[in-house]
Amino acid sequence: MITSIGRMFIKPGSENAAVAALKDLARKVKKEEGTLIYFVHTPDMKALSLPIASPLEVVFYEVYKDKKSLQIHLNGAFKDFTAKNKDLFQQTNGGEIFTAFVSLSRLGGFAKQ
């Protein structure tokens, strides 16, 4: 399994359109056979965060069956999403959505329904 966390930042003033686009992305990703878990979050500004979170931050928690499944996602739904919605998010100097991506190594834990 491949587990990762991704981050991007909404452009100020684009919050409503960005949230709608992110919810649509999650619905599309649900159809990807090898994507086992795909959660899209924004900070709960009423709860404790250290350091203080930005309300414009988006955090993805993702689990894929294997590397091939991750590549299918990156080259499919995610690529389409970034092409259609890049003006809603902070961009790199090259004009692409700035995305931080960290692959995780599982040490333990569980998931409950």
Side-chain angles (χ1 to χ4, degrees):
M1 271 193 273
I2 306 291
T3 303
S4 65
I5 294 175
R7 295 174 57 209
M8 61 177 55
F9 294 87
I10 299 169
K11 279 187 183 175
S14 299
E15 294 89 343
N16 291 338
V19 167
L22 290 162
K23 288 179 178 181
D24 186 53
L25 172 63
R27 283 189 290 276
K28 290 177 180 174
V29 172
K30 189 173 185 179
K31 298 174 186 174
E32 296 174 346
E33 186 177 319
T35 303
L36 305 177
I37 297 173
Y38 196 81
F39 290 118
V40 184
H41 297 84
T42 55
D44 180 346
M45 299 308 292
K46 296 177 184 174
L48 176 65
S49 291
L50 297 173
I52 296 172
S54 165
L56 301 173
E57 183 175 7
V58 179
V59 178
F60 296 85
Y61 176 75
E62 309 167 24
V63 179
Y64 300 93
K65 180 180 171 185
D66 51 28
K67 287 181 183 181
K68 180 181 176 186
S69 299
L70 171 59
Q71 288 303 314
I72 289 170
H73 168 70
L74 292 175
N75 293 320
F78 190 72
K79 185 176 182 179
D80 292 343
F81 169 81
T82 58
K84 292 176 186 172
N85 298 290
K86 69 180 180 177
D87 292 338
L88 302 176
F89 297 89
Q90 297 294 331
Q91 297 176 8
T92 65
N93 288 337
E96 298 300 319
I97 293 177
F98 170 78
T99 306
F101 180 84
V102 177
S103 293
L104 303 173
S105 187
R106 187 170 300 156
L107 300 177
F110 57 89
K112 290 184 178 180
Q113 276 293 57

